Amino acid sequence: MKRRSRNPGSQTALRQLNRQRIIDTLLGSGPSTQAEISRSTGLSTATVSNIVKNMAAKGLVFTSPTTSSGRRAVSVTFNGNGAIAVGIDFGRSHVRVVLANLSYQVVAERAVPLPLGHHASESIKAAADLLARLLAEADLPRSAIVGAGAGIPGPIDRRTGTVVQGAILPEWVGIHLLDRLEKVLEVPVYADNDANLGALAEVTWGQYGSVSNLMFLKIGSGIGAGLILNGAPYYGHVGVTGEIGHATINEHGPICRCGNRGCLETVASTATMIELLGRGSAEPLTVGDIVSRALAKDSATLRVIDDAGLAVGRAIGNVANLINPEIIVVGGPLAGLGAILLDPIRRGLLRHAVPVVGESTTLAMSSLGDRAEALGAASLVFAQQGISRR
Amino acid sequence: MKRRSRNPGSQTALRQLNRQRIIDTLLGSGPSTQAEISRSTGLSTATVSNIVKNMAAKGLVFTSPTTSSGRRAVSVTFNGNGAIAVGIDFGRSHVRVVLANLSYQVVAERAVPLPLGHHASESIKAAADLLARLLAEADLPRSAIVGAGAGIPGPIDRRTGTVVQGAILPEWVGIHLLDRLEKVLEVPVYADNDANLGALAEVTWGQYGSVSNLMFLKIGSGIGAGLILNGAPYYGHVGVTGEIGHATINEHGPICRCGNRGCLETVASTATMIELLGRGSAEPLTVGDIVSRALAKDSATLRVIDDAGLAVGRAIGNVANLINPEIIVVGGPLAGLGAILLDPIRRGLLRHAVPVVGESTTLAMSSLGDRAEALGAASLVFAQQGISRR
């Protein structure tokens, strides 16, 4: 949520970079003496000593006296369990909370269902209750928490820290998230869009740690993308990025909740699928029904998914032409469809991307399932604290 | 052209970052002692001394003995004129060459016209001749050149260093640019797409040095964009980015030179405008004719430009939804149209972007005119040498 420094040469940014170098060294080489850290980072011993002292005070590293070449030295060890990040995924009909440590292990995890259309204060209370319960179960003090990350299914204006119009959760629009959450959770809170957190999860918890340019595409009630560009989460000018659900697919198509016409969401969101397939049925359809019908080869369901996939593929073809990602990971509640959804998306991508781009873009389903957003929220905490691997 | 290190933690990347820190300090604070540089960068004196020695050997800095607080010290001064970058803009019907120094001043500059459809070897020879002539005029030895940047109006596959299919200059496709140019120019050569260089020029030579997220949109025979994201030029996975000329505007529209249908270029490129407006006229129309007719308020010309602008606006609305740039700068041969072109683009942008994105995106004409690409090509040299301000 905090704006990243606009001036990469500022002293604050420099200190952060220096700290990151030291963490990278400790994660890469294991316990090291301050002199070793100084040699491998190029930083002066005074700089290393200052940063190590500061990290030790926060419980991020342990220091212990040792000897090196017969001389007294200070050994520095990264404290994987010294800091716990909370990851919270606020969904339309659930809240999920994970506790993660610095070694990227989940220490505790729980989710609860919530009624559709519930108010923001309800889910914030549910998250606070889950957090208290998880801390008790894991026998951890609240003081071990370095911060909480919160994923929201809607764009966040980083200038004001509020959820902007057009969010999947209209009940959240205009709320100053961080203030509300920090008051209830009593820890520093960072918030981000759910698709951004999905992308962050793929490069921290998932299998794409070495990928510099990745797009996470979340297809759900809305359609949004999170971007990792040049190896870092990308937030753009005001923080509203990846809004490909509002790419115009059909100039004179149906009116979208954003006020525009023929947006991708009017063709390919799960809400649209439910509407198309639910006509005439007594009970309202669920996303789970769509997945199970498709897996049972129901022809109407397969057709709706194929059309949606082609439209998504067309939109991401245009996206790929612009940002030429190495990989596009598809997440969200339809992930269980596998190739049934991925194949039409790939056809659309290859049809609409320029050949070299289409051929060099890998398309895959997320392996993190419905945990991606919460895991990414935990990563956000480490990233904002300058203690991440990215 | 060289791939940037995939591993930001590698020793090479670290050395480059350390060198950039020192250059930033010298550019920001003026001549400094090595001890001062060490203090303001946090780097050890040994690291600073090594890098300074290396830079002095290349003529990038002068060192001289001095005293500081009564002790002997080494003063380091940045040599603005010690290194000359060549910027070359290869166009469809011209070649432009500039010589620039490290203080971002143009030392010499010339352009020559070339016939449409000329072969790559012709323009390479023209560039070499211009370079020799400029060096003679500026009374500079070839050894002052640190490298040459070359802008090509087509996508470059950075895996192979070749111009890929779909380029505006079909005569260049498949050529291994760097080898060819280095053989003729006898200096290290870096190449990039012209729109990428336009973006780089805007943040180095233009007025947008403090902008972190900028898109340069070149509207000409083709339509392409260059991106500065998170403060750095963005190249994506294989180097083919910003291909918004091939965004699908009309699913069943005319066939595009890329093999797809209804691409933005089939609606809004200068080639399309010339075709639309030139029907029935004896002489082939030029882009200059379009600009002068529009400025003279010819109604058919204004209509064609308005339609093109709206289509461009729709495409960049979708782009802005994805990457939320702070500013979009429009360049290319139509820049002289000013508001006549900018107004319909803005209407299209506001119509198709989500509100918060449309409202927070600034749209402007480039102030660099037809020099943007050559100036950006010179900046590319400094950037690749790790001696830039970006």
Side-chain angles (χ1 to χ4, degrees):
Chain A
M1 204 61 207
K2 267 182 206 155
R3 267 209 99 105
R4 304 206 315 167
S5 168
R6 298 299 300 270
N7 175 4
S10 74
Q11 285 304 308
T12 315
L14 206 55
R15 266 196 299 273
Q16 183 115 336
L17 280 172
N18 289 343
R19 186 157 84 146
Q20 189 62 53
R21 282 189 182 183
I22 294 177
I23 291 169
D24 289 346
T25 300
L26 292 173
L27 284 170
S29 315
S32 311
T33 67
Q34 294 195 149
E36 283 164 351
I37 295 172
S38 174
R39 273 197 297 280
S40 65
T41 58
L43 296 171
S44 69
T45 48
T47 304
V48 171
S49 159
N50 269 331
I51 294 173
V52 164
K53 198 179 295 174
N54 183 281
M55 289 171 70
K58 290 187 174 169
L60 298 177
V61 295
F62 301 117
T63 57
S64 57
T66 182
T67 54
S68 171
S69 311
R71 293 160 70 183
R72 287 198 304 178
V74 175
S75 172
V76 184
T77 307
F78 197 60
N79 179 11
N81 288 303
I84 297 291
V86 183
I88 309 174
D89 170 31
F90 290 106
R92 286 177 77 222
S93 54
H94 74 271
V95 169
R96 175 181 301 269
V97 178
V98 302
L99 302 187
N101 69 16
L102 271 176
S103 305
Y104 284 77
Q105 291 163 328
V106 171
V107 176
E109 175 174 13
R110 277 192 183 274
V112 291
L114 287 173
L116 271 174
H118 65 271
H119 194 267
S121 57
E122 240 177 294
S123 44
I124 291 175
K125 182 169 184 316
D129 292 348
L130 278 184
L131 172 56
R133 188 166 159 192
L134 291 174
L135 283 173
E137 285 174 6
D139 196 20
L140 281 166
R142 195 168 288 259
S143 62
I145 299 176
V146 290
I152 309 290
I156 296 172
D157 186 331
R158 293 166 83 85
R159 294 170 301 183
T160 56
T162 54
V163 179
V164 303
Q165 204 68 43
I168 284 292
L169 294 170
E171 299 79 10
W172 288 71
V173 171
I175 285 180
H176 196 291
L177 267 177
L178 298 191
D179 289 356
R180 291 283 294 272
L181 287 170
E182 289 189 342
K183 199 167 287 176
V184 176
L185 300 178
E186 296 171 22
V187 295
V189 176
Y190 311 91
D192 208 338
N193 170 271
D194 57 350
N196 289 347
L197 294 180
L200 186 57
E202 292 296 336
V203 296
T204 47
W205 294 86
Q207 54 193 305
Y208 304 114
S210 63
V211 173
S212 294
N213 300 299
L214 172 145
M215 179 163 96
F216 180 87
L217 178 69
K218 182 168 182 179
I219 306 176
S221 318
I223 300 177
L227 301 171
I228 302 291
L229 301 182
N230 281 348
Y234 178 76
Y235 293 110
H237 178 38
V238 305
V240 181
T241 58
E243 290 293 320
I244 75 165
H246 304 289
T248 308
I249 292 294
N250 181 357
E251 180 85 49
H252 304 289
I255 298 292
C256 178
R257 63 191 170 85
C258 75
N260 225 313
R261 300 190 71 157
C263 296
L264 179 61
E265 284 193 5
T266 66
V267 184
S269 67
T270 56
T272 302
M273 293 181 192
I274 286 171
E275 199 190 317
L276 283 170
L277 290 167
R279 277 176 197 159
S281 64
E283 285 280 294
L285 223 60
T286 67
V287 178
D289 294 336
I290 293 178
V291 173
S292 55
R293 286 186 191 187
L295 294 176
K297 298 199 165 59
D298 173 67
S299 61
T301 308
L302 289 175
R303 171 61 193 262
V304 163
I305 291 169
D306 204 69
D307 286 353
L310 279 172
V312 168
R314 171 174 163 183
I316 67 172
N318 287 336
V319 163
N321 282 347
L322 183 76
I323 59 168
N324 183 205
E326 181 172 346
I327 183 155
I328 297 174
V329 184
V330 179
L334 297 177
L337 290 172
I340 295 173
L341 179 60
L342 227 41
D343 284 350
I345 294 180
R346 187 176 287 114
R347 287 204 306 280
L349 168 67
L350 290 172
R351 188 179 176 88
H352 292 279
V354 299
V356 62
V357 170
E359 288 153 15
S360 64
T361 304
T362 303
L363 191 64
M365 278 293 179
S366 171
S367 61
L368 299 173
D370 52 9
R371 303 171 72 208
E373 293 81 0
L375 294 175
S379 297
L380 182 66
V381 175
F382 294 140
Q384 293 284 358
Q385 298 266 337
I387 45 180
S388 83
R389 278 177 286 193
R390 299 292 290 193
Chain B
M1 205 63 206
K2 268 184 204 151
R3 265 209 101 105
R4 306 205 314 168
S5 167
R6 297 301 300 270
N7 176 5
S10 75
Q11 285 304 308
T12 315
L14 207 54
R15 265 195 300 273
Q16 182 116 334
L17 279 173
N18 289 343
R19 185 157 87 146
Q20 190 61 54
R21 281 189 183 185
I22 293 175
I23 290 168
D24 289 345
T25 300
L26 292 173
L27 283 170
S29 316
S32 312
T33 66
Q34 294 195 150
E36 284 164 350
I37 296 171
S38 173
R39 273 197 298 279
S40 65
T41 58
L43 296 172
S44 71
T45 47
T47 304
V48 172
S49 159
N50 269 331
I51 294 173
V52 165
K53 197 179 294 173
N54 184 281
M55 288 172 70
K58 290 188 175 168
L60 298 178
V61 296
F62 302 117
T63 56
S64 58
T66 181
T67 54
S68 173
S69 313
R71 292 160 70 182
R72 289 200 301 181
V74 175
S75 172
V76 185
T77 307
F78 198 59
N79 180 11
N81 288 303
I84 297 291
V86 183
I88 308 174
D89 170 30
F90 289 106
R92 286 176 77 223
S93 54
H94 75 271
V95 169
R96 174 183 301 269
V97 178
V98 302
L99 302 187
N101 70 17
L102 269 177
S103 305
Y104 283 79
Q105 290 163 328
V106 171
V107 176
E109 175 174 14
R110 279 193 183 272
V112 290
L114 288 173
L116 273 174
H118 65 271
H119 194 269
S121 57
E122 240 177 292
S123 44
I124 291 174
K125 182 170 184 313
D129 292 347
L130 279 184
L131 173 56
R133 187 164 161 194
L134 292 174
L135 283 173
E137 284 174 5
D139 195 21
L140 283 165
R142 197 169 285 260
S143 62
I145 298 177
V146 290
I152 309 289
I156 297 171
D157 187 331
R158 294 167 81 87
R159 294 169 301 185
T160 56
T162 53
V163 179
V164 304
Q165 203 68 43
I168 284 293
L169 294 171
E171 299 79 11
W172 288 72
V173 170
I175 284 180
H176 197 291
L177 267 178
L178 298 192
D179 289 356
R180 289 284 293 273
L181 287 170
E182 288 188 342
K183 199 167 288 175
V184 176
L185 300 178
E186 296 171 23
V187 295
V189 176
Y190 312 92
D192 206 339
N193 171 271
D194 57 351
N196 289 348
L197 294 179
L200 187 57
E202 293 295 335
V203 297
T204 47
W205 294 86
Q207 54 193 306
Y208 304 114
S210 63
V211 173
S212 295
N213 301 298
L214 173 145
M215 179 163 95
F216 180 87
L217 178 68
K218 181 167 184 179
I219 306 176
S221 319
I223 300 178
L227 301 172
I228 303 290
L229 301 181
N230 281 347
Y234 178 76
Y235 293 110
H237 178 38
V238 305
V240 182
T241 58
E243 290 294 319
I244 75 165
H246 303 288
T248 308
I249 293 293
N250 182 355
E251 180 87 49
H252 304 290
I255 297 292
C256 179
R257 65 190 168 85
C258 75
N260 225 312
R261 302 190 69 158
C263 295
L264 179 62
E265 283 192 5
T266 66
V267 183
S269 67
T270 56
T272 301
M273 292 180 194
I274 286 171
E275 200 191 317
L276 283 170
L277 291 167
R279 278 177 197 158
S281 62
E283 285 281 293
L285 225 58
T286 67
V287 177
D289 295 336
I290 293 178
V291 173
S292 55
R293 285 185 191 188
L295 294 176
K297 298 198 166 59
D298 173 68
S299 62
T301 307
L302 290 175
R303 172 59 193 263
V304 163
I305 291 168
D306 203 69
D307 286 353
L310 279 172
V312 169
R314 171 176 163 183
I316 66 172
N318 287 337
V319 164
N321 282 348
L322 183 76
I323 59 167
N324 183 204
E326 181 173 343
I327 185 156
I328 297 174
V329 184
V330 179
L334 297 178
L337 289 173
I340 296 172
L341 179 60
L342 227 42
D343 284 350
I345 295 180
R346 188 175 287 115
R347 287 203 307 280
L349 168 67
L350 289 172
R351 189 179 175 87
H352 291 280
V354 299
V356 63
V357 170
E359 289 152 15
S360 64
T361 305
T362 302
L363 191 64
M365 278 293 177
S366 171
S367 61
L368 299 173
D370 52 9
R371 304 170 72 207
E373 293 81 0
L375 293 175
S379 297
L380 182 66
V381 175
F382 294 140
Q384 293 285 358
Q385 298 267 338
I387 46 179
S388 82
R389 280 178 286 193
R390 298 291 293 191

